[in-house]
Amino acid sequence: MKIQKSFEDETKGALYVVPTPIGNLEDITYRALNILRSADLIAAEDTRNTKKLLNHFEIPTSLISYHDHNKLAREDQLLDRIDNGELIALVSDAGMPAISDPGYEIVQAAIDRNQRVVVLPGANAALCGLVGSGLPAGEFYFYGFLPRKKKDKAEELNRLKRVRASLLFYESPYRIKDTLKAIHEQLGIRRVTIARELTKRFEEYVRGTSEELISWAEENEIRGEFVIVVEGQNDGAEDDEDSVWWEDLTIVEHVDHYIVEKGLSNKEAVKQAAVDRSIPKRDVYQHYHIK
Ligand code: SAM
């Protein structure tokens, strides 16, 4: 067990984790600016990118790179400086370091050395997207980027199928269409929100069902940065892996559930029941039409 009292002895060095804006420069906090100004060194994912931020705020602090390709080699160098009483600020390109960005490893290594790790609150795309999505924010599951390969993506989504919390993904504009399709195929019809270009001039929320969002992605030119928020599983299924909420329903009751409770069209409801039961749509149609 380790106990950290962050401000008991401020003569000691520290690792400050400093979030930076995800678009709008006004989202940097006073405290973040003060720490960046007073730090002995700023470890940045991309020094050229952070240099622009520092120039904007007229901060002269020196920079050193700390990114996915050199993070292990850099670690000791940075932590030795903290042991010598220096204050190192860690930033990523945007938002909170360590959240789909480098940072976790050095935080862990600093803790191993009993160093102070002080995290500043600030901009983060996932939380902003979650709150703006209008989907339940009480419980959420942040995933980050899904795997790129179709099969791996499907496997991961299948693993998340029973999660009741809202699901948060990051995605690139090049893969958004495929990812929405995979979400629809693996999770069925759910409410989904795409939060695009948050805090920027072209900020946009697209809120609808997974099917509607796929059509939107097919009809529009996809640009910018995205958070995808997916409604959690909410069909009353038990957490028990082997039990499914519809197992006591007939096929007809199952389809009616989607029509009456979820407001789906007959066609959508049949399709969803077929997905749930892993049976062909035509089998569900047959049962439904002879009812
Ligand atoms: N550390 C960052 C954070 O705290 O949000 C996330 C870094 S991750 C490498 C970058 C991804 O975050 C983007 O591909 C996009 O999915 C999401 N993202 C970042 N800025 C965004 C914005 N302004 N609007 C929507 N999504 C954003």
mmCIF file with all atom_site columns, all heavy atoms in Angstrom, residues 22 94-96 99-101 123-125 145 170-171 195-198 200 225-227, ligand 1:
data_model
loop_
_atom_site.group_PDB
_atom_site.id
_atom_site.type_symbol
_atom_site.label_atom_id
_atom_site.label_alt_id
_atom_site.label_comp_id
_atom_site.label_asym_id
_atom_site.label_entity_id
_atom_site.label_seq_id
_atom_site.pdbx_PDB_ins_code
_atom_site.Cartn_x
_atom_site.Cartn_y
_atom_site.Cartn_z
_atom_site.occupancy
_atom_site.B_iso_or_equiv
_atom_site.pdbx_formal_charge
_atom_site.auth_seq_id
_atom_site.auth_comp_id
_atom_site.auth_asym_id
_atom_site.auth_atom_id
_atom_site.pdbx_PDB_model_num
ATOM   1   N N   . ILE A 1 22  ? -8.959  20.277 -26.456 1.00 0.00 ? 22  ILE A N   1
ATOM   2   C CA  . ILE A 1 22  ? -9.235  19.341 -27.557 1.00 0.00 ? 22  ILE A CA  1
ATOM   3   C C   . ILE A 1 22  ? -9.700  20.112 -28.792 1.00 0.00 ? 22  ILE A C   1
ATOM   4   O O   . ILE A 1 22  ? -10.240 19.535 -29.729 1.00 0.00 ? 22  ILE A O   1
ATOM   5   C CB  . ILE A 1 22  ? -10.284 18.266 -27.165 1.00 0.00 ? 22  ILE A CB  1
ATOM   6   C CG1 . ILE A 1 22  ? -11.590 18.907 -26.664 1.00 0.00 ? 22  ILE A CG1 1
ATOM   7   C CG2 . ILE A 1 22  ? -9.717  17.315 -26.138 1.00 0.00 ? 22  ILE A CG2 1
ATOM   8   C CD1 . ILE A 1 22  ? -12.744 17.916 -26.526 1.00 0.00 ? 22  ILE A CD1 1
ATOM   9   N N   . ALA A 1 94  ? -3.645  16.392 -27.180 1.00 0.00 ? 94  ALA A N   1
ATOM   10  C CA  . ALA A 1 94  ? -4.920  17.041 -26.851 1.00 0.00 ? 94  ALA A CA  1
ATOM   11  C C   . ALA A 1 94  ? -5.600  16.256 -25.745 1.00 0.00 ? 94  ALA A C   1
ATOM   12  O O   . ALA A 1 94  ? -5.500  15.029 -25.693 1.00 0.00 ? 94  ALA A O   1
ATOM   13  C CB  . ALA A 1 94  ? -5.831  17.067 -28.082 1.00 0.00 ? 94  ALA A CB  1
ATOM   14  N N   . GLY A 1 95  ? -6.268  16.969 -24.867 1.00 0.00 ? 95  GLY A N   1
ATOM   15  C CA  . GLY A 1 95  ? -7.039  16.307 -23.822 1.00 0.00 ? 95  GLY A CA  1
ATOM   16  C C   . GLY A 1 95  ? -6.172  15.752 -22.710 1.00 0.00 ? 95  GLY A C   1
ATOM   17  O O   . GLY A 1 95  ? -5.060  16.231 -22.459 1.00 0.00 ? 95  GLY A O   1
ATOM   18  N N   . MET A 1 96  ? -6.702  14.751 -22.061 1.00 0.00 ? 96  MET A N   1
ATOM   19  C CA  . MET A 1 96  ? -6.062  14.184 -20.871 1.00 0.00 ? 96  MET A CA  1
ATOM   20  C C   . MET A 1 96  ? -5.002  13.155 -21.270 1.00 0.00 ? 96  MET A C   1
ATOM   21  O O   . MET A 1 96  ? -5.323  12.166 -21.932 1.00 0.00 ? 96  MET A O   1
ATOM   22  C CB  . MET A 1 96  ? -7.157  13.521 -20.021 1.00 0.00 ? 96  MET A CB  1
ATOM   23  C CG  . MET A 1 96  ? -6.674  12.957 -18.711 1.00 0.00 ? 96  MET A CG  1
ATOM   24  S SD  . MET A 1 96  ? -6.013  14.189 -17.591 1.00 0.00 ? 96  MET A SD  1
ATOM   25  C CE  . MET A 1 96  ? -7.445  14.649 -16.648 1.00 0.00 ? 96  MET A CE  1
ATOM   26  N N   . ILE A 1 99  ? -5.238  8.947  -21.566 1.00 0.00 ? 99  ILE A N   1
ATOM   27  C CA  . ILE A 1 99  ? -6.534  8.499  -22.072 1.00 0.00 ? 99  ILE A CA  1
ATOM   28  C C   . ILE A 1 99  ? -6.400  8.377  -23.587 1.00 0.00 ? 99  ILE A C   1
ATOM   29  O O   . ILE A 1 99  ? -6.391  9.379  -24.299 1.00 0.00 ? 99  ILE A O   1
ATOM   30  C CB  . ILE A 1 99  ? -7.668  9.478  -21.676 1.00 0.00 ? 99  ILE A CB  1
ATOM   31  C CG1 . ILE A 1 99  ? -7.735  9.631  -20.150 1.00 0.00 ? 99  ILE A CG1 1
ATOM   32  C CG2 . ILE A 1 99  ? -9.010  9.019  -22.234 1.00 0.00 ? 99  ILE A CG2 1
ATOM   33  C CD1 . ILE A 1 99  ? -8.023  8.344  -19.383 1.00 0.00 ? 99  ILE A CD1 1
ATOM   34  N N   . SER A 1 100 ? -6.219  7.130  -24.050 1.00 0.00 ? 100 SER A N   1
ATOM   35  C CA  . SER A 1 100 ? -5.889  6.843  -25.457 1.00 0.00 ? 100 SER A CA  1
ATOM   36  C C   . SER A 1 100 ? -4.692  7.677  -25.913 1.00 0.00 ? 100 SER A C   1
ATOM   37  O O   . SER A 1 100 ? -4.609  8.089  -27.074 1.00 0.00 ? 100 SER A O   1
ATOM   38  C CB  . SER A 1 100 ? -7.089  7.107  -26.386 1.00 0.00 ? 100 SER A CB  1
ATOM   39  O OG  . SER A 1 100 ? -8.107  6.179  -26.129 1.00 0.00 ? 100 SER A OG  1
ATOM   40  N N   . ASP A 1 101 ? -3.807  7.940  -25.022 1.00 0.00 ? 101 ASP A N   1
ATOM   41  C CA  . ASP A 1 101 ? -2.586  8.721  -25.262 1.00 0.00 ? 101 ASP A CA  1
ATOM   42  C C   . ASP A 1 101 ? -1.503  8.182  -24.321 1.00 0.00 ? 101 ASP A C   1
ATOM   43  O O   . ASP A 1 101 ? -1.828  7.553  -23.305 1.00 0.00 ? 101 ASP A O   1
ATOM   44  C CB  . ASP A 1 101 ? -2.836  10.204 -24.901 1.00 0.00 ? 101 ASP A CB  1
ATOM   45  C CG  . ASP A 1 101 ? -3.295  11.014 -26.096 1.00 0.00 ? 101 ASP A CG  1
ATOM   46  O OD1 . ASP A 1 101 ? -3.083  10.563 -27.238 1.00 0.00 ? 101 ASP A OD1 1
ATOM   47  O OD2 . ASP A 1 101 ? -3.833  12.112 -25.885 1.00 0.00 ? 101 ASP A OD2 1
ATOM   48  N N   . ALA A 1 123 ? -9.824  19.222 -20.175 1.00 0.00 ? 123 ALA A N   1
ATOM   49  C CA  . ALA A 1 123 ? -10.533 18.765 -21.372 1.00 0.00 ? 123 ALA A CA  1
ATOM   50  C C   . ALA A 1 123 ? -10.353 17.269 -21.623 1.00 0.00 ? 123 ALA A C   1
ATOM   51  O O   . ALA A 1 123 ? -9.262  16.721 -21.457 1.00 0.00 ? 123 ALA A O   1
ATOM   52  C CB  . ALA A 1 123 ? -10.044 19.547 -22.587 1.00 0.00 ? 123 ALA A CB  1
ATOM   53  N N   . ASN A 1 124 ? -11.431 16.649 -22.038 1.00 0.00 ? 124 ASN A N   1
ATOM   54  C CA  . ASN A 1 124 ? -11.406 15.232 -22.415 1.00 0.00 ? 124 ASN A CA  1
ATOM   55  C C   . ASN A 1 124 ? -12.589 14.993 -23.357 1.00 0.00 ? 124 ASN A C   1
ATOM   56  O O   . ASN A 1 124 ? -13.728 15.302 -22.999 1.00 0.00 ? 124 ASN A O   1
ATOM   57  C CB  . ASN A 1 124 ? -11.504 14.344 -21.166 1.00 0.00 ? 124 ASN A CB  1
ATOM   58  C CG  . ASN A 1 124 ? -11.792 12.909 -21.519 1.00 0.00 ? 124 ASN A CG  1
ATOM   59  O OD1 . ASN A 1 124 ? -12.899 12.424 -21.328 1.00 0.00 ? 124 ASN A OD1 1
ATOM   60  N ND2 . ASN A 1 124 ? -10.814 12.233 -22.078 1.00 0.00 ? 124 ASN A ND2 1
ATOM   61  N N   . ALA A 1 125 ? -12.297 14.463 -24.543 1.00 0.00 ? 125 ALA A N   1
ATOM   62  C CA  . ALA A 1 125 ? -13.334 14.331 -25.574 1.00 0.00 ? 125 ALA A CA  1
ATOM   63  C C   . ALA A 1 125 ? -14.436 13.352 -25.153 1.00 0.00 ? 125 ALA A C   1
ATOM   64  O O   . ALA A 1 125 ? -15.617 13.606 -25.378 1.00 0.00 ? 125 ALA A O   1
ATOM   65  C CB  . ALA A 1 125 ? -12.700 13.889 -26.888 1.00 0.00 ? 125 ALA A CB  1
ATOM   66  N N   . PHE A 1 145 ? -10.167 3.418  -28.775 1.00 0.00 ? 145 PHE A N   1
ATOM   67  C CA  . PHE A 1 145 ? -10.201 2.980  -30.172 1.00 0.00 ? 145 PHE A CA  1
ATOM   68  C C   . PHE A 1 145 ? -10.413 1.463  -30.242 1.00 0.00 ? 145 PHE A C   1
ATOM   69  O O   . PHE A 1 145 ? -9.647  0.703  -29.644 1.00 0.00 ? 145 PHE A O   1
ATOM   70  C CB  . PHE A 1 145 ? -8.886  3.311  -30.878 1.00 0.00 ? 145 PHE A CB  1
ATOM   71  C CG  . PHE A 1 145 ? -8.670  4.788  -31.079 1.00 0.00 ? 145 PHE A CG  1
ATOM   72  C CD1 . PHE A 1 145 ? -7.918  5.522  -30.182 1.00 0.00 ? 145 PHE A CD1 1
ATOM   73  C CD2 . PHE A 1 145 ? -9.231  5.435  -32.173 1.00 0.00 ? 145 PHE A CD2 1
ATOM   74  C CE1 . PHE A 1 145 ? -7.721  6.888  -30.367 1.00 0.00 ? 145 PHE A CE1 1
ATOM   75  C CE2 . PHE A 1 145 ? -9.046  6.798  -32.373 1.00 0.00 ? 145 PHE A CE2 1
ATOM   76  C CZ  . PHE A 1 145 ? -8.285  7.521  -31.462 1.00 0.00 ? 145 PHE A CZ  1
ATOM   77  N N   . TYR A 1 170 ? -13.522 6.098  -29.299 1.00 0.00 ? 170 TYR A N   1
ATOM   78  C CA  . TYR A 1 170 ? -12.912 7.084  -30.177 1.00 0.00 ? 170 TYR A CA  1
ATOM   79  C C   . TYR A 1 170 ? -12.829 6.442  -31.556 1.00 0.00 ? 170 TYR A C   1
ATOM   80  O O   . TYR A 1 170 ? -12.665 5.225  -31.659 1.00 0.00 ? 170 TYR A O   1
ATOM   81  C CB  . TYR A 1 170 ? -11.495 7.444  -29.693 1.00 0.00 ? 170 TYR A CB  1
ATOM   82  C CG  . TYR A 1 170 ? -11.451 8.319  -28.457 1.00 0.00 ? 170 TYR A CG  1
ATOM   83  C CD1 . TYR A 1 170 ? -10.341 8.312  -27.625 1.00 0.00 ? 170 TYR A CD1 1
ATOM   84  C CD2 . TYR A 1 170 ? -12.503 9.167  -28.143 1.00 0.00 ? 170 TYR A CD2 1
ATOM   85  C CE1 . TYR A 1 170 ? -10.282 9.117  -26.502 1.00 0.00 ? 170 TYR A CE1 1
ATOM   86  C CE2 . TYR A 1 170 ? -12.455 9.977  -27.026 1.00 0.00 ? 170 TYR A CE2 1
ATOM   87  C CZ  . TYR A 1 170 ? -11.344 9.953  -26.208 1.00 0.00 ? 170 TYR A CZ  1
ATOM   88  O OH  . TYR A 1 170 ? -11.293 10.753 -25.110 1.00 0.00 ? 170 TYR A OH  1
ATOM   89  N N   . GLU A 1 171 ? -12.935 7.246  -32.594 1.00 0.00 ? 171 GLU A N   1
ATOM   90  C CA  . GLU A 1 171 ? -12.786 6.660  -33.935 1.00 0.00 ? 171 GLU A CA  1
ATOM   91  C C   . GLU A 1 171 ? -12.293 7.701  -34.929 1.00 0.00 ? 171 GLU A C   1
ATOM   92  O O   . GLU A 1 171 ? -12.554 8.903  -34.769 1.00 0.00 ? 171 GLU A O   1
ATOM   93  C CB  . GLU A 1 171 ? -14.129 6.055  -34.401 1.00 0.00 ? 171 GLU A CB  1
ATOM   94  C CG  . GLU A 1 171 ? -14.017 5.142  -35.589 1.00 0.00 ? 171 GLU A CG  1
ATOM   95  C CD  . GLU A 1 171 ? -12.872 4.117  -35.478 1.00 0.00 ? 171 GLU A CD  1
ATOM   96  O OE1 . GLU A 1 171 ? -11.703 4.519  -35.647 1.00 0.00 ? 171 GLU A OE1 1
ATOM   97  O OE2 . GLU A 1 171 ? -13.146 2.924  -35.242 1.00 0.00 ? 171 GLU A OE2 1
ATOM   98  N N   . ALA A 1 195 ? -20.422 12.447 -31.530 1.00 0.00 ? 195 ALA A N   1
ATOM   99  C CA  . ALA A 1 195 ? -20.073 13.815 -31.127 1.00 0.00 ? 195 ALA A CA  1
ATOM   100 C C   . ALA A 1 195 ? -18.842 14.187 -31.936 1.00 0.00 ? 195 ALA A C   1
ATOM   101 O O   . ALA A 1 195 ? -17.780 13.600 -31.773 1.00 0.00 ? 195 ALA A O   1
ATOM   102 C CB  . ALA A 1 195 ? -19.790 13.864 -29.635 1.00 0.00 ? 195 ALA A CB  1
ATOM   103 N N   . ARG A 1 196 ? -19.014 15.135 -32.840 1.00 0.00 ? 196 ARG A N   1
ATOM   104 C CA  . ARG A 1 196 ? -17.965 15.448 -33.818 1.00 0.00 ? 196 ARG A CA  1
ATOM   105 C C   . ARG A 1 196 ? -17.372 16.826 -33.541 1.00 0.00 ? 196 ARG A C   1
ATOM   106 O O   . ARG A 1 196 ? -18.096 17.769 -33.209 1.00 0.00 ? 196 ARG A O   1
ATOM   107 C CB  . ARG A 1 196 ? -18.614 15.422 -35.206 1.00 0.00 ? 196 ARG A CB  1
ATOM   108 C CG  . ARG A 1 196 ? -17.668 15.521 -36.361 1.00 0.00 ? 196 ARG A CG  1
ATOM   109 C CD  . ARG A 1 196 ? -18.426 15.393 -37.666 1.00 0.00 ? 196 ARG A CD  1
ATOM   110 N NE  . ARG A 1 196 ? -18.920 16.667 -38.115 1.00 0.00 ? 196 ARG A NE  1
ATOM   111 C CZ  . ARG A 1 196 ? -18.208 17.544 -38.812 1.00 0.00 ? 196 ARG A CZ  1
ATOM   112 N NH1 . ARG A 1 196 ? -16.971 17.275 -39.143 1.00 0.00 ? 196 ARG A NH1 1
ATOM   113 N NH2 . ARG A 1 196 ? -18.726 18.692 -39.168 1.00 0.00 ? 196 ARG A NH2 1
ATOM   114 N N   . GLU A 1 197 ? -16.057 16.917 -33.681 1.00 0.00 ? 197 GLU A N   1
ATOM   115 C CA  . GLU A 1 197 ? -15.373 18.219 -33.596 1.00 0.00 ? 197 GLU A CA  1
ATOM   116 C C   . GLU A 1 197 ? -15.750 19.011 -32.340 1.00 0.00 ? 197 GLU A C   1
ATOM   117 O O   . GLU A 1 197 ? -16.046 20.213 -32.392 1.00 0.00 ? 197 GLU A O   1
ATOM   118 C CB  . GLU A 1 197 ? -15.688 19.050 -34.850 1.00 0.00 ? 197 GLU A CB  1
ATOM   119 C CG  . GLU A 1 197 ? -15.096 18.460 -36.121 1.00 0.00 ? 197 GLU A CG  1
ATOM   120 C CD  . GLU A 1 197 ? -13.587 18.640 -36.191 1.00 0.00 ? 197 GLU A CD  1
ATOM   121 O OE1 . GLU A 1 197 ? -12.871 17.749 -35.686 1.00 0.00 ? 197 GLU A OE1 1
ATOM   122 O OE2 . GLU A 1 197 ? -13.138 19.671 -36.722 1.00 0.00 ? 197 GLU A OE2 1
ATOM   123 N N   . LEU A 1 198 ? -15.747 18.319 -31.219 1.00 0.00 ? 198 LEU A N   1
ATOM   124 C CA  . LEU A 1 198 ? -16.157 18.961 -29.963 1.00 0.00 ? 198 LEU A CA  1
ATOM   125 C C   . LEU A 1 198 ? -15.308 20.189 -29.656 1.00 0.00 ? 198 LEU A C   1
ATOM   126 O O   . LEU A 1 198 ? -14.083 20.163 -29.840 1.00 0.00 ? 198 LEU A O   1
ATOM   127 C CB  . LEU A 1 198 ? -16.041 17.946 -28.815 1.00 0.00 ? 198 LEU A CB  1
ATOM   128 C CG  . LEU A 1 198 ? -17.068 16.820 -28.894 1.00 0.00 ? 198 LEU A CG  1
ATOM   129 C CD1 . LEU A 1 198 ? -16.692 15.681 -27.946 1.00 0.00 ? 198 LEU A CD1 1
ATOM   130 C CD2 . LEU A 1 198 ? -18.455 17.337 -28.574 1.00 0.00 ? 198 LEU A CD2 1
ATOM   131 N N   . LYS A 1 200 ? -15.018 22.777 -31.205 1.00 0.00 ? 200 LYS A N   1
ATOM   132 C CA  . LYS A 1 200 ? -14.535 23.512 -32.372 1.00 0.00 ? 200 LYS A CA  1
ATOM   133 C C   . LYS A 1 200 ? -15.709 24.162 -33.122 1.00 0.00 ? 200 LYS A C   1
ATOM   134 O O   . LYS A 1 200 ? -16.865 23.886 -32.832 1.00 0.00 ? 200 LYS A O   1
ATOM   135 C CB  . LYS A 1 200 ? -13.778 22.564 -33.318 1.00 0.00 ? 200 LYS A CB  1
ATOM   136 C CG  . LYS A 1 200 ? -12.623 21.842 -32.635 1.00 0.00 ? 200 LYS A CG  1
ATOM   137 C CD  . LYS A 1 200 ? -11.868 21.009 -33.631 1.00 0.00 ? 200 LYS A CD  1
ATOM   138 C CE  . LYS A 1 200 ? -11.107 19.895 -32.940 1.00 0.00 ? 200 LYS A CE  1
ATOM   139 N NZ  . LYS A 1 200 ? -10.492 18.988 -33.893 1.00 0.00 ? 200 LYS A NZ  1
ATOM   140 N N   . GLU A 1 225 ? -12.940 14.911 -35.960 1.00 0.00 ? 225 GLU A N   1
ATOM   141 C CA  . GLU A 1 225 ? -12.664 13.965 -34.867 1.00 0.00 ? 225 GLU A CA  1
ATOM   142 C C   . GLU A 1 225 ? -13.984 13.568 -34.215 1.00 0.00 ? 225 GLU A C   1
ATOM   143 O O   . GLU A 1 225 ? -14.889 14.396 -34.099 1.00 0.00 ? 225 GLU A O   1
ATOM   144 C CB  . GLU A 1 225 ? -11.761 14.634 -33.836 1.00 0.00 ? 225 GLU A CB  1
ATOM   145 C CG  . GLU A 1 225 ? -10.415 14.997 -34.409 1.00 0.00 ? 225 GLU A CG  1
ATOM   146 C CD  . GLU A 1 225 ? -9.437  15.349 -33.319 1.00 0.00 ? 225 GLU A CD  1
ATOM   147 O OE1 . GLU A 1 225 ? -9.503  16.479 -32.815 1.00 0.00 ? 225 GLU A OE1 1
ATOM   148 O OE2 . GLU A 1 225 ? -8.603  14.487 -32.968 1.00 0.00 ? 225 GLU A OE2 1
ATOM   149 N N   . PHE A 1 226 ? -14.047 12.322 -33.784 1.00 0.00 ? 226 PHE A N   1
ATOM   150 C CA  . PHE A 1 226 ? -15.331 11.776 -33.326 1.00 0.00 ? 226 PHE A CA  1
ATOM   151 C C   . PHE A 1 226 ? -15.238 11.017 -32.009 1.00 0.00 ? 226 PHE A C   1
ATOM   152 O O   . PHE A 1 226 ? -14.281 10.291 -31.774 1.00 0.00 ? 226 PHE A O   1
ATOM   153 C CB  . PHE A 1 226 ? -15.841 10.727 -34.323 1.00 0.00 ? 226 PHE A CB  1
ATOM   154 C CG  . PHE A 1 226 ? -16.134 11.278 -35.672 1.00 0.00 ? 226 PHE A CG  1
ATOM   155 C CD1 . PHE A 1 226 ? -15.135 11.384 -36.621 1.00 0.00 ? 226 PHE A CD1 1
ATOM   156 C CD2 . PHE A 1 226 ? -17.415 11.695 -35.989 1.00 0.00 ? 226 PHE A CD2 1
ATOM   157 C CE1 . PHE A 1 226 ? -15.407 11.901 -37.878 1.00 0.00 ? 226 PHE A CE1 1
ATOM   158 C CE2 . PHE A 1 226 ? -17.695 12.204 -37.247 1.00 0.00 ? 226 PHE A CE2 1
ATOM   159 C CZ  . PHE A 1 226 ? -16.689 12.312 -38.191 1.00 0.00 ? 226 PHE A CZ  1
ATOM   160 N N   . VAL A 1 227 ? -16.295 11.178 -31.242 1.00 0.00 ? 227 VAL A N   1
ATOM   161 C CA  . VAL A 1 227 ? -16.547 10.257 -30.130 1.00 0.00 ? 227 VAL A CA  1
ATOM   162 C C   . VAL A 1 227 ? -17.850 9.552  -30.467 1.00 0.00 ? 227 VAL A C   1
ATOM   163 O O   . VAL A 1 227 ? -18.793 10.196 -30.932 1.00 0.00 ? 227 VAL A O   1
ATOM   164 C CB  . VAL A 1 227 ? -16.720 11.017 -28.787 1.00 0.00 ? 227 VAL A CB  1
ATOM   165 C CG1 . VAL A 1 227 ? -17.018 10.039 -27.653 1.00 0.00 ? 227 VAL A CG1 1
ATOM   166 C CG2 . VAL A 1 227 ? -15.492 11.853 -28.465 1.00 0.00 ? 227 VAL A CG2 1
HETATM 167 N N1  . SAM B 2 .   ? -6.422  12.202 -24.701 1.00 0.00 ? 1   SAM B N1  1
HETATM 168 C C1  . SAM B 2 .   ? -7.524  12.629 -25.499 1.00 0.00 ? 1   SAM B C1  1
HETATM 169 C C2  . SAM B 2 .   ? -8.724  12.942 -24.625 1.00 0.00 ? 1   SAM B C2  1
HETATM 170 O O1  . SAM B 2 .   ? -8.549  13.099 -23.411 1.00 0.00 ? 1   SAM B O1  1
HETATM 171 O O2  . SAM B 2 .   ? -9.827  13.080 -25.126 1.00 0.00 ? 1   SAM B O2  1
HETATM 172 C C3  . SAM B 2 .   ? -7.838  11.623 -26.583 1.00 0.00 ? 1   SAM B C3  1
HETATM 173 C C4  . SAM B 2 .   ? -6.698  11.365 -27.507 1.00 0.00 ? 1   SAM B C4  1
HETATM 174 S S1  . SAM B 2 .   ? -7.016  10.230 -28.781 1.00 0.00 ? 1   SAM B S1  1
HETATM 175 C C5  . SAM B 2 .   ? -5.421  9.965  -29.438 1.00 0.00 ? 1   SAM B C5  1
HETATM 176 C C6  . SAM B 2 .   ? -7.716  11.213 -30.033 1.00 0.00 ? 1   SAM B C6  1
HETATM 177 C C7  . SAM B 2 .   ? -9.169  10.848 -30.309 1.00 0.00 ? 1   SAM B C7  1
HETATM 178 O O3  . SAM B 2 .   ? -10.004 11.501 -29.370 1.00 0.00 ? 1   SAM B O3  1
HETATM 179 C C8  . SAM B 2 .   ? -9.650  11.337 -31.664 1.00 0.00 ? 1   SAM B C8  1
HETATM 180 O O4  . SAM B 2 .   ? -9.325  10.399 -32.690 1.00 0.00 ? 1   SAM B O4  1
HETATM 181 C C9  . SAM B 2 .   ? -11.146 11.419 -31.438 1.00 0.00 ? 1   SAM B C9  1
HETATM 182 O O5  . SAM B 2 .   ? -11.722 10.135 -31.508 1.00 0.00 ? 1   SAM B O5  1
HETATM 183 C C10 . SAM B 2 .   ? -11.192 11.927 -29.992 1.00 0.00 ? 1   SAM B C10 1
HETATM 184 N N2  . SAM B 2 .   ? -11.201 13.394 -30.001 1.00 0.00 ? 1   SAM B N2  1
HETATM 185 C C11 . SAM B 2 .   ? -10.185 14.216 -29.711 1.00 0.00 ? 1   SAM B C11 1
HETATM 186 N N3  . SAM B 2 .   ? -10.562 15.504 -29.841 1.00 0.00 ? 1   SAM B N3  1
HETATM 187 C C12 . SAM B 2 .   ? -11.869 15.493 -30.215 1.00 0.00 ? 1   SAM B C12 1
HETATM 188 C C13 . SAM B 2 .   ? -12.841 16.480 -30.512 1.00 0.00 ? 1   SAM B C13 1
HETATM 189 N N4  . SAM B 2 .   ? -12.544 17.770 -30.459 1.00 0.00 ? 1   SAM B N4  1
HETATM 190 N N5  . SAM B 2 .   ? -14.083 16.087 -30.849 1.00 0.00 ? 1   SAM B N5  1
HETATM 191 C C14 . SAM B 2 .   ? -14.402 14.772 -30.913 1.00 0.00 ? 1   SAM B C14 1
HETATM 192 N N6  . SAM B 2 .   ? -13.523 13.798 -30.652 1.00 0.00 ? 1   SAM B N6  1
HETATM 193 C C15 . SAM B 2 .   ? -12.271 14.140 -30.299 1.00 0.00 ? 1   SAM B C15 1
#
